[in-house]
Amino acid sequence: MALIFHCVFEDLPDRQQEIISRIRSSNDCLKGRKLLLVEDDMRSAFALSEILIQRGMEVHIAENGQLGLDQLQKIDFDLILTDITMPLMD
């Protein structure tokens, strides 16, 4: 799939290639955004949060659904990522 997209990308006019390259390399849409990550597996939470923090996001982690709801009442998040099988509540 990447190879096909790469070939199509190469066929685009230079201006369109420049726009797509700038979008791909930009993290501006993530910078300063507040994310609530609801995840009971701390290895997964750590790995994902490190990537998102490097891209400028403010990451809050909740270890279960109830803690996630508690944080949601206190903070206005821009995005919420959650595991669908959680202790205490799914």
Side-chain angles (χ1 to χ4, degrees):
M1 183 75 170
L3 181 59
I4 292 170
F5 184 75
H6 179 73
C7 291
V8 173
F9 177 80
E10 295 296 325
D11 293 339
L12 293 172
D14 290 341
R15 177 72 178 132
Q16 289 179 347
Q17 288 184 26
E18 178 185 332
I19 291 169
I20 291 171
S21 295
R22 196 170 47 226
I23 290 169
R24 284 182 177 168
S25 66
S26 174
N27 294 319
D28 289 343
C29 65
L30 300 177
K31 284 184 181 173
R33 302 286 184 180
K34 287 182 264 185
L35 170 86
L36 174 59
L37 176 58
V38 185
E39 174 60 73
D40 59 323
D41 181 348
M42 284 301 105
R43 294 170 297 182
S44 297
F46 178 76
L48 184 55
S49 66
E50 285 299 308
I51 292 168
L52 296 170
I53 289 168
Q54 289 174 7
R55 285 164 175 71
M57 295 193 83
E58 178 183 322
V59 179
H60 299 254
I61 299 174
E63 295 181 24
N64 63 54
Q66 185 58 57
L67 292 174
L69 289 175
D70 293 346
Q71 286 197 39
L72 189 56
Q73 291 177 358
K74 299 175 190 173
I75 301 170
D76 185 23
F77 291 101
D78 298 301
L79 181 65
I80 300 169
L81 296 177
T82 184
D83 187 345
I84 58 171
T85 53
M86 299 289 296
L88 302 180
M89 69 174 50
D90 288 335

